[in-house]
Amino acid sequence: MAPRAGEVKAQRSTPRRPRGSLNREDIIAAAFELIAGEEGVDGLSMPRLARHLDVGVTSLYWYFRSKDDLMAALTEEGADRFYQLLPDYRGRPWDEHLSCYFRDFRQVFRDNPALCDLIVLRAPMQARSPEAVRRFFTLLEREISALVQAGFPVAEAVDAYMTLSVYTRGCVLNERLFTAAEEQLDRGGYRAPRPDLDPANLPVMAEAARYWAPSFATDEKFEAGMGLIIDGLRVRLAQLTAGAAQA
Amino acid sequence: MAPRAGEVKAQRSTPRRPRGSLNREDIIAAAFELIAGEEGVDGLSMPRLARHLDVGVTSLYWYFRSKDDLMAALTEEGADRFYQLLPDYRGRPWDEHLSCYFRDFRQVFRDNPALCDLIVLRAPMQARSPEAVRRFFTLLEREISALVQAGFPVAEAVDAYMTLSVYTRGCVLNERLFTAAEEQLDRGGYRAPRPDLDPANLPVMAEAARYWAPSFATDEKFEAGMGLIIDGLRVRLAQLTAGAAQA
DNA sequence: ACCTGAACACCGTTCAAGT
DNA sequence: ACCTGAACACCGTTCAAGT
């Protein structure tokens, strides 16, 4: 069937790329440009990426077996970028070190939604290459050593770091889902009115509504939770040093 | 173009459904059957759902404006199911109450991956109907009242609950991503060998590897983190009662 | 009022080429 | 060795009907 007049098949503008003009790194870089934009990680598609690179869609499949394969590479690159954005707070007291570090940890994800989607929402560690894992462990070495120097045994230092990491990513996830839903509601979704909390049936929640932060997303709420965990760590450390003094 | 012999257009088996034979609840129930199965939430599609119901795809659009609309309904129903699976631990000491409650909180999500995907990965509260929010607040009233009775001011009780909730969902997310990635690797993905941690460069991590739990997914690790948070709460409570005794 | 298939734009992926 | 379009199965959604 002949195309109707004015019917233009979506197609590449240039006739053909020379042979060496494409490579893995350029594709990954272009993908990061796309996901950093309006459409985000969800808006990334192979056709869109090909268009952005002015390449035939199928050319991408020479460098990546599948979209999953590409996503794994993006996740890996994203994780590296993330580690490099975390400052080094060594030298401060251990509790101050921790709160500064995880405050920034959270802030980096808030500033980079694409990084958040890549790492918090889909990057378990075993999906990464040996080099990426090594870089990850190097970061952990730095952070966990600081706790060991403060007096924590290695096992407890690991638990401490992981607890704060899990908590922080939980906060980030909460906030990310919250803002995503807000955007969707703004784009014409039905927004239900807040139900009024009857103080007769729900006396505590009626009062709690005054302190309520949707999605636990404020700096204050994050700090409150982090403070609880660090207080717990202070207790442990006190027990440990007391035990050591006794022995 | 006439279809080739043996070419069968995927189509409904029965000729046409009577007029009142479909409704919102049946569609939601069928969707839950599908997402509870092998394919999970990601495998849910409008055509698949229609096939499962033996209905024309477009019939679904009479009851749900869009797939997003359907997903919101599933999330809402899922949240209700989740609340009902949480047992009531009132009457126990506040710290025991909390640890039992959040231990179950985590276990429910581990037992129901579909519920986890629906609620942990995409259900911020403001996407829910007034009734669902009311039911949610009713649960919170029960849980937070227990903390208030133990001596926490309302604001701190809310923070305590939310901190544990965020931490627990962080653990659940971690584990969910981990198992999803494992499955993908088992389905023929390339699995990189663990890098060996050179004790010369990474002395602490080399020792930590012995205590390492991938994805913080063991019961032990979960309990360790929860214990830290509850220890932090004990500190607060002690400060509060000391302050009250002084006044 | 409720159910329907045809049709459209989009997606991921395979394949059989071209250079 | 690298790049390509045609083609396929699938998806979400709209529309103009049928009953």
Side-chain angles (χ1 to χ4, degrees):
Chain A
M1 201 198 292
R4 269 182 285 134
E7 204 174 66
V8 178
K9 186 73 185 292
Q11 214 164 2
R12 304 188 34 248
S13 52
T14 35
R16 196 188 177 92
R17 306 258 307 202
R19 257 184 304 171
S21 62
L22 203 55
N23 59 68
R24 258 178 156 261
E25 281 139 43
D26 287 352
I27 295 174
I28 290 175
F32 266 96
E33 285 173 30
L34 276 189
I35 66 179
E38 199 70 14
E39 311 286 356
V41 173
D42 287 343
L44 182 66
S45 81
M46 300 300 266
R48 255 208 259 263
L49 179 54
R51 226 144 41 220
H52 189 62
L53 283 158
D54 194 30
V55 175
V57 205
T58 46
S59 303
L60 301 175
Y61 286 84
W62 180 261
Y63 297 93
F64 298 94
R65 240 198 280 80
S66 63
K67 192 187 177 185
D68 266 1
D69 194 23
L70 171 64
M71 293 306 298
L74 293 185
T75 294
E76 174 134 0
E77 167 72 15
D80 270 351
R81 293 189 185 192
F82 174 66
Y83 305 148
Q84 281 162 24
L85 288 169
L86 292 179
D88 187 343
Y89 283 114
R90 271 178 304 184
R92 307 204 189 187
W94 69 271
D95 45 359
E96 189 187 331
H97 175 133
L98 277 183
S99 52
C100 289
Y101 176 83
F102 282 102
R103 189 148 42 223
D104 286 350
F105 190 104
R106 168 166 174 266
Q107 194 59 43
V108 168
F109 283 131
R110 301 176 90 207
D111 294 341
N112 302 272
L115 233 45
C116 171
D117 287 358
L118 238 31
I119 298 171
V120 177
L121 271 81
R122 48 181 111 200
M125 212 191 48
Q126 85 276 31
R128 304 179 199 169
S129 73
E131 301 83 53
V133 173
R134 206 190 43 72
R135 285 189 291 267
F136 175 55
F137 276 114
T138 303
L139 177 78
L140 285 187
E141 177 81 20
R142 191 186 83 194
E143 293 303 316
I144 290 177
S145 298
L147 289 169
V148 171
Q149 274 169 32
F152 290 97
V154 172
E156 300 215 25
V158 170
D159 286 353
Y161 181 90
M162 288 304 290
T163 300
L164 280 162
S165 170
V166 164
Y167 165 72
T168 305
R169 280 177 288 146
C171 282
V172 167
L173 171 68
N174 246 6
E175 186 168 358
R176 185 90 187 89
L177 294 180
F178 181 82
T179 57
E182 283 289 319
E183 282 169 17
Q184 199 183 332
L185 287 181
D186 288 345
R187 282 196 311 272
Y190 159 78
R191 182 189 301 266
R194 275 311 62 189
D196 43 17
L197 300 169
D198 178 8
N201 285 334
L202 305 173
V204 173
M205 290 314 293
E207 188 187 343
R210 281 193 272 141
Y211 314 110
W212 194 260
S215 89
F216 211 60
T218 64
D219 292 345
E220 248 181 348
K221 295 290 176 182
F222 170 74
E223 297 286 340
M226 183 164 68
L228 283 179
I229 297 172
I230 292 179
D231 279 352
L233 288 171
R234 287 197 188 97
V235 173
R236 290 294 151 94
L237 192 58
Q239 290 169 349
L240 287 163
T241 50
Q246 225 172 8
Chain B
M1 201 199 291
R4 269 183 287 132
E7 205 174 65
V8 179
K9 186 73 184 292
Q11 215 163 0
R12 304 188 35 245
S13 52
T14 34
R16 196 189 177 90
R17 306 259 307 202
R19 257 184 303 171
S21 62
L22 204 55
N23 59 68
R24 259 180 156 258
E25 280 138 42
D26 288 351
I27 295 174
I28 291 175
F32 266 96
E33 285 173 31
L34 276 187
I35 65 178
E38 199 70 14
E39 310 286 356
V41 173
D42 287 344
L44 181 67
S45 81
M46 300 301 266
R48 256 208 258 262
L49 180 53
R51 224 144 43 219
H52 189 63
L53 283 158
D54 193 30
V55 175
V57 205
T58 45
S59 304
L60 301 174
Y61 286 84
W62 181 261
Y63 297 94
F64 297 95
R65 240 199 280 81
S66 64
K67 190 187 178 185
D68 266 1
D69 194 22
L70 171 65
M71 292 306 298
L74 293 185
T75 294
E76 174 136 359
E77 167 70 17
D80 270 351
R81 293 190 185 192
F82 174 67
Y83 305 150
Q84 281 163 24
L85 287 169
L86 293 179
D88 187 343
Y89 283 112
R90 271 177 305 183
R92 307 203 189 188
W94 69 271
D95 45 359
E96 190 188 331
H97 176 133
L98 277 183
S99 53
C100 289
Y101 177 83
F102 282 103
R103 190 148 41 222
D104 287 349
F105 190 103
R106 168 167 172 266
Q107 195 59 44
V108 168
F109 283 131
R110 301 177 89 207
D111 294 340
N112 303 272
L115 231 46
C116 172
D117 287 358
L118 238 29
I119 299 171
V120 177
L121 271 82
R122 46 182 112 201
M125 212 192 47
Q126 85 276 31
R128 304 178 199 170
S129 72
E131 302 82 54
V133 173
R134 207 189 43 72
R135 285 190 291 268
F136 174 56
F137 277 114
T138 303
L139 177 78
L140 284 187
E141 176 81 21
R142 190 185 82 194
E143 293 303 316
I144 290 177
S145 298
L147 289 170
V148 171
Q149 274 170 32
F152 289 97
V154 172
E156 299 214 25
V158 170
D159 286 353
Y161 180 91
M162 288 304 291
T163 300
L164 281 163
S165 170
V166 164
Y167 166 72
T168 304
R169 279 177 289 147
C171 281
V172 167
L173 171 69
N174 246 5
E175 187 168 358
R176 184 90 186 88
L177 294 179
F178 181 82
T179 58
E182 283 290 319
E183 282 169 17
Q184 199 183 332
L185 287 180
D186 288 345
R187 283 196 309 273
Y190 160 78
R191 183 189 299 269
R194 274 314 60 191
D196 44 16
L197 299 169
D198 177 9
N201 285 334
L202 306 174
V204 173
M205 290 315 293
E207 188 188 344
R210 282 192 271 141
Y211 315 109
W212 195 260
S215 89
F216 212 60
T218 64
D219 292 344
E220 246 181 349
K221 294 290 177 182
F222 170 73
E223 296 287 340
M226 183 164 69
L228 282 179
I229 297 171
I230 292 179
D231 278 352
L233 288 171
R234 286 197 188 96
V235 173
R236 289 295 149 92
L237 192 58
Q239 289 169 348
L240 287 163
T241 50
Q246 226 173 8

